[in-house]
Amino acid sequence: MKHSAINIKMETFIKEASRNIPVIKEYDVAVLGGGPSGVSAAISAARTGAETALIERYGYPGGQATGGLVILIVGLTDGKNPIIKGLCREFTDDLFRMNAAEKLGNHVLFNPEHMKLLFDAKLAENNVSLYYHRYAAGVITENGEIQAVITEGKSGRQAIKAKIFIDATGDADLAQYCNIPYDIRSKSGLKPVTLGFRAGGINEKTAREFMANNKKFYDELIEQAGITVKTGGWVRTLNPHEAWFNLVHEDNTDCTDCGDLTRAEILTRRKIHKLMELFKKNIPGFENGYIADTAAQIGVRDSRRIRGLYRFEEKDLSACFKDTVCRAPNYRGKGNSSVEIPYRCLLVNEFKNIIFCGRSISVEHEFLDMFREIPCCMATGQAAGVAAGIGITRNCSLHDIDTAVLREKLLSLDVIISEPTSVHPGHELIYNDN
Ligand SMILES: Cc1cc2nc3c(=O)[nH]c(=O)nc-3n(C[C@H](O)[C@H](O)[C@H](O)COP(=O)(O)OP(=O)(O)OC[C@H]3O[C@@H](n4cnc5c(N)ncnc54)[C@H](O)[C@@H]3O)c2cc1C
């Protein structure tokens, strides 16, 4: 069966009549996107006392970590010592307390449904006003400032005003709406998208043994399912006999193109069914396997990256910055090392009342993998939220914030800024003590 892509040629235009858009409310801080970075940003801003709103297109928080079924928190350490704590540690500790997380080497495996529950509760507890089922579809700018974000949803087109905006959409949607310069690779240069899924009825031990002894055959089965990008794999979940698959990819997909997204969703779904059919027939341990669920949203690794006040590049792998707000693992370094993320990677020249966090911050494409994992997204989210809060309480623009004050505040919140030298006494390799 061949998939026929619908090619939309936008050669004609239609004129939309101007209209008045109702303003729902004015906030101190509006966060766009409720993934790991957005939830962290909203909670952090709200904890400074700023009146904060979170706007999310789906009906749940967590982004890729929940709806995308990315259920493994990696990048917490430099391979040895913890490099990201703060709010990320608070969340993982909560998940362990809820019996919804387990250690897997240096990583944390968690239950995405509990993550949704936890985020809902934390956002409510911190008085974040929640606007689920609203898509940020545009902005109103005036006098060099962003005044409002336009949201679309079943309630129609409505505006939310704020003094400071935090873009946590993953794709820097607001950069596009505000004509803020950004970079995005051509389709062939983008990292592949992946439809995550969970399968039940699996005997992991039997399957792993077979795979280890029949590596070539296993790879051939993957190829037969039409999966040409060879990366990822599968790992058990917290549920018995269940596994999470990060294996079914599609390349040449630009997630800012709805046509590409449509094609990728259909093709990856088809490949998942084919793969399971092949595994059931050919891999002992998979005989009783079944697809439990596929992710609500296709997993995107790579799209727009803002051109910020500073761009992280090769020379910064061992750099120290005066305005470092958090760290990321150094996947380019030898041994155990991490890199510093300067505050300026979150800011742009064009507007002083917007800050970016998560995977769209200002970084050269080749280093994106170090910055896009869940802990780092939570850390840049926390930094953005705290910065926004300081901007509100001190009545200054995001560009004029005293970064010494920002760093001091982040340190008081258990954020790791300087290079970790040893495991803190009393803490294990990953920081949960359970
Ligand atoms: C297949 C795959 C496997 C991965 N594996 C791992 C792993 O094992 N471990 C790990 O730590 N990381 C992993 N990652 C990376 C990690 O999951 C993401 O990079 C991280 O979740 C990004 O967080 P974010 O908050 O920046 O964006 P997202 O998680 O993408 O969240 C963005 C949120 O914004 C919302 N949104 C977007 N646009 C709008 C809009 N216009 N209006 C309103 N809401 C909007 C979305 O619905 C979403 O909730 C993986 C990623 C993928 C795709």
Short mmCIF file of all heavy atoms in Angstrom, two decimals, residues 337-357:
data_model
loop_
_atom_site.label_atom_id
_atom_site.label_comp_id
_atom_site.label_asym_id
_atom_site.label_seq_id
_atom_site.Cartn_x
_atom_site.Cartn_y
_atom_site.Cartn_z
N SER A 337 32.03 14.48 31.85
CA SER A 337 32.06 15.94 31.85
C SER A 337 30.70 16.50 31.46
O SER A 337 29.82 15.79 30.95
CB SER A 337 33.15 16.47 30.92
OG SER A 337 32.86 16.10 29.60
N SER A 338 30.55 17.78 31.73
CA SER A 338 29.29 18.45 31.40
C SER A 338 29.61 19.85 30.91
O SER A 338 30.74 20.33 31.05
CB SER A 338 28.39 18.51 32.64
OG SER A 338 29.05 19.15 33.71
N VAL A 339 28.61 20.50 30.33
CA VAL A 339 28.84 21.86 29.79
C VAL A 339 27.92 22.85 30.51
O VAL A 339 26.93 22.45 31.14
CB VAL A 339 28.56 21.93 28.27
CG1 VAL A 339 29.44 20.95 27.51
CG2 VAL A 339 27.08 21.67 27.95
N GLU A 340 28.25 24.13 30.38
CA GLU A 340 27.45 25.18 31.01
C GLU A 340 26.50 25.79 29.98
O GLU A 340 26.88 25.97 28.82
CB GLU A 340 28.37 26.27 31.56
CG GLU A 340 29.39 25.73 32.54
CD GLU A 340 30.02 26.81 33.41
OE1 GLU A 340 29.75 28.01 33.18
OE2 GLU A 340 30.77 26.43 34.33
N ILE A 341 25.32 26.14 30.41
CA ILE A 341 24.37 26.82 29.51
C ILE A 341 24.20 28.26 29.99
O ILE A 341 23.69 28.51 31.07
CB ILE A 341 23.00 26.11 29.49
CG1 ILE A 341 23.18 24.63 29.16
CG2 ILE A 341 22.06 26.79 28.50
CD1 ILE A 341 21.88 23.84 29.12
N PRO A 342 24.66 29.22 29.17
CA PRO A 342 24.49 30.61 29.59
C PRO A 342 23.05 31.10 29.40
O PRO A 342 22.36 30.68 28.47
CB PRO A 342 25.47 31.37 28.70
CG PRO A 342 25.74 30.50 27.54
CD PRO A 342 25.41 29.09 27.91
N TYR A 343 22.65 32.00 30.28
CA TYR A 343 21.32 32.61 30.24
C TYR A 343 21.03 33.19 28.85
O TYR A 343 19.92 33.09 28.34
CB TYR A 343 21.28 33.70 31.32
CG TYR A 343 20.02 34.51 31.43
CD1 TYR A 343 18.78 33.89 31.60
CD2 TYR A 343 20.07 35.91 31.41
CE1 TYR A 343 17.63 34.65 31.73
CE2 TYR A 343 18.91 36.68 31.55
CZ TYR A 343 17.69 36.04 31.70
OH TYR A 343 16.55 36.79 31.84
N ARG A 344 22.06 33.75 28.22
CA ARG A 344 21.86 34.42 26.91
C ARG A 344 21.39 33.46 25.82
O ARG A 344 20.87 33.90 24.80
CB ARG A 344 23.17 35.09 26.47
CG ARG A 344 23.49 36.36 27.25
CD ARG A 344 24.95 36.69 27.13
NE ARG A 344 25.76 35.66 27.77
CZ ARG A 344 27.04 35.42 27.50
NH1 ARG A 344 27.66 36.13 26.58
NH2 ARG A 344 27.71 34.47 28.13
N CYS A 345 21.59 32.14 26.00
CA CYS A 345 21.09 31.18 24.99
C CYS A 345 19.57 31.10 25.01
O CYS A 345 18.95 30.47 24.15
CB CYS A 345 21.65 29.78 25.27
SG CYS A 345 23.34 29.57 24.78
N LEU A 346 18.95 31.69 26.03
CA LEU A 346 17.49 31.62 26.19
C LEU A 346 16.81 32.91 25.71
O LEU A 346 15.58 32.98 25.63
CB LEU A 346 17.12 31.38 27.67
CG LEU A 346 17.20 29.96 28.23
CD1 LEU A 346 18.57 29.32 28.05
CD2 LEU A 346 16.83 29.91 29.70
N LEU A 347 17.63 33.92 25.44
CA LEU A 347 17.08 35.25 25.11
C LEU A 347 17.32 35.59 23.65
O LEU A 347 18.24 35.06 23.03
CB LEU A 347 17.75 36.32 25.98
CG LEU A 347 17.58 36.18 27.50
CD1 LEU A 347 18.39 37.25 28.21
CD2 LEU A 347 16.10 36.29 27.89
N VAL A 348 16.51 36.53 23.15
CA VAL A 348 16.70 36.99 21.76
C VAL A 348 16.86 38.50 21.74
O VAL A 348 16.42 39.19 22.66
CB VAL A 348 15.51 36.57 20.85
CG1 VAL A 348 15.50 35.07 20.63
CG2 VAL A 348 14.17 37.04 21.42
N ASN A 349 17.48 38.97 20.67
CA ASN A 349 17.70 40.41 20.50
C ASN A 349 16.43 41.21 20.31
O ASN A 349 16.31 42.33 20.77
CB ASN A 349 18.54 40.62 19.22
CG ASN A 349 19.99 40.86 19.56
OD1 ASN A 349 20.28 41.71 20.41
ND2 ASN A 349 20.86 40.11 18.92
N GLU A 350 15.48 40.59 19.59
CA GLU A 350 14.36 41.35 19.04
C GLU A 350 13.34 41.81 20.07
O GLU A 350 12.71 42.85 19.91
CB GLU A 350 13.66 40.51 17.96
CG GLU A 350 14.48 40.28 16.70
CD GLU A 350 15.69 39.36 16.91
OE1 GLU A 350 15.69 38.58 17.88
OE2 GLU A 350 16.63 39.45 16.11
N PHE A 351 13.12 41.01 21.12
CA PHE A 351 12.13 41.36 22.16
C PHE A 351 12.74 41.09 23.53
O PHE A 351 13.44 40.09 23.71
CB PHE A 351 10.85 40.52 22.00
CG PHE A 351 10.06 40.84 20.77
CD1 PHE A 351 10.28 40.14 19.60
CD2 PHE A 351 9.10 41.85 20.78
CE1 PHE A 351 9.56 40.44 18.45
CE2 PHE A 351 8.38 42.15 19.64
CZ PHE A 351 8.61 41.44 18.46
N LYS A 352 12.41 41.98 24.47
CA LYS A 352 12.98 41.81 25.82
C LYS A 352 11.98 41.18 26.78
O LYS A 352 12.28 41.06 27.97
CB LYS A 352 13.41 43.18 26.36
CG LYS A 352 14.60 43.76 25.62
CD LYS A 352 15.06 45.05 26.27
CE LYS A 352 16.29 45.57 25.56
NZ LYS A 352 16.74 46.85 26.08
N ASN A 353 10.79 40.85 26.30
CA ASN A 353 9.83 40.21 27.22
C ASN A 353 9.45 38.80 26.77
O ASN A 353 8.37 38.32 27.03
CB ASN A 353 8.59 41.09 27.45
CG ASN A 353 7.67 41.15 26.24
OD1 ASN A 353 8.12 41.03 25.11
ND2 ASN A 353 6.39 41.34 26.49
N ILE A 354 10.41 38.14 26.09
CA ILE A 354 10.20 36.71 25.77
C ILE A 354 11.47 35.94 26.09
O ILE A 354 12.59 36.44 25.89
CB ILE A 354 9.77 36.49 24.30
CG1 ILE A 354 9.44 35.01 24.08
CG2 ILE A 354 10.83 36.97 23.32
CD1 ILE A 354 8.71 34.72 22.78
N ILE A 355 11.28 34.73 26.60
CA ILE A 355 12.42 33.85 26.90
C ILE A 355 12.05 32.45 26.42
O ILE A 355 10.88 32.06 26.48
CB ILE A 355 12.77 33.91 28.42
CG1 ILE A 355 14.01 33.07 28.74
CG2 ILE A 355 11.61 33.52 29.32
CD1 ILE A 355 14.64 33.41 30.10
N PHE A 356 13.03 31.71 25.94
CA PHE A 356 12.81 30.38 25.38
C PHE A 356 13.43 29.32 26.30
O PHE A 356 14.40 29.60 27.00
CB PHE A 356 13.45 30.28 23.99
CG PHE A 356 12.74 31.14 22.97
CD1 PHE A 356 12.95 32.52 22.93
CD2 PHE A 356 11.84 30.59 22.08
CE1 PHE A 356 12.29 33.32 22.01
CE2 PHE A 356 11.17 31.38 21.15
CZ PHE A 356 11.39 32.75 21.12
N CYS A 357 12.84 28.14 26.31
CA CYS A 357 13.43 27.05 27.09
C CYS A 357 13.12 25.74 26.37
O CYS A 357 12.35 25.71 25.41
CB CYS A 357 12.88 27.05 28.52
SG CYS A 357 11.10 26.97 28.65
#
